[in-house]
Amino acid sequence: MKIATWNVNSIRARADRVEAWLERTDADVLAIQETKAKDESFPWEAFEFSGYEVAHFGLSQWNGVAIASRVGLEDVERTFPGQPSFGKEGQEPVQEARAIAATCAGVRVWSLYIPNGRGLDDPHMVYKLEWLSVLRDRAREWLQEDPRAQIALVGDWNVAPQDHDVWDMQFFLDNGMTHVSAPERRAFQAFLDEGYRDVVRERLPGPEVYTYWDYTQLRFPRNEGMRIDFQLCSPALAERVSDVSIDRDERKGKGASDHVPVVIEVE
């Protein structure tokens, strides 16, 4: 079974590319982030025509997550218990459309779009760290309830956990940028400490293994990228992973997302 994750940066703008990619790669499950669509404007027919069931969670033109599966889509859950909310000053906090789960052929897949901290001193950074902390607590509880649980925490984490997960660590430090700060990295490491495994890094250990390239300043032609999209697998699921890949070619051509698909194959 192939499980993929992909931040598509607007599903309506890239429905044709996603449909073609699914047909070409024969993926069984695709977790999608940043759909930027409400449920009523999601292109359901593009997936259903190809034989996929879809669960989508979208509240506005921002954020949005989905799971498309042709191997079952059971027990759909929108948001995880205790998921933090966010609201601008003077506004009522809301739970954003950043997490959705479904069981696909026995694997509990979570499609996650972790908040972008925006700035080291920005209120969004506090929100991001709290969001990750609560998710970590839930992830720990799931393993405590069933150590053999088949869980995949996948998506755009907006964290580069190691120095070689960015093209130039000094550039990030000199500019006080997010994604590489010590608190963010500790929040990511906490999942590994609970037993979840970064199965892609285990099989692709070298530098310049990126999943994201900004649209500006020729970042992609210069290969100035970041690795911020992950598949963290529970111990029992990690044991079944037989292969991994990052489809760098999907960053090429007209209308590409700034992220690319990350794929695991499960025995």
Side-chain angles (χ1 to χ4, degrees), residues 105-137:
V107 177
R108 189 65 172 168
V109 178
W110 278 93
S111 180
L112 304 166
Y113 181 39
I114 280 74
N116 187 321
R118 300 193 181 183
L120 298 179
D121 298 320
D122 193 286
H124 280 85
M125 180 59 73
V126 177
Y127 171 49
K128 176 180 188 175
L129 296 175
E130 182 186 8
W131 206 96
L132 284 167
S133 178
V134 176
L135 176 61
R136 187 272 320 276
D137 290 345

Side-chain angles (χ1 to χ4, degrees), residues 145-183:
E145 293 167 1
D146 180 7
R148 298 297 299 172
Q150 308 286 309
I151 304 171
L153 307 176
V154 312
D156 177 0
W157 288 67
N158 274 314
V159 179
Q162 300 178 32
D163 287 358
H164 60 252
D165 289 328
V166 297
W167 81 90
D168 185 346
M169 186 62 188
Q170 194 60 47
F171 174 85
F172 280 74
L173 294 176
D174 290 345
N175 289 278
M177 298 177 70
T178 62
H179 293 64
V180 300
S181 71

Side-chain angles (χ1 to χ4, degrees), residues 40-117:
E40 56 267 30
S41 59
F42 186 88
W44 305 94
E45 64 285 348
F47 293 89
E48 293 167 353
F49 179 78
S50 300
Y52 291 84
E53 297 178 83
V54 182
H56 177 254
F57 179 32
L59 301 173
S60 67
Q61 74 273 30
W62 308 112
N63 308 315
V65 284
I67 299 174
S69 171
R70 63 179 188 182
V71 292
L73 195 71
E74 302 174 351
D75 301 322
V76 174
E77 186 176 358
R78 293 170 175 83
T79 75
F80 51 84
Q83 179 178 315
S85 302
F86 184 81
K88 295 181 180 179
E89 187 175 352
Q91 295 182 352
E92 186 72 22
V94 298
Q95 281 190 325
E96 297 179 315
R98 292 184 175 274
I100 190 170
T103 300
C104 308
V107 177
R108 189 65 172 168
V109 178
W110 278 93
S111 180
L112 304 166
Y113 181 39
I114 280 74
N116 187 321

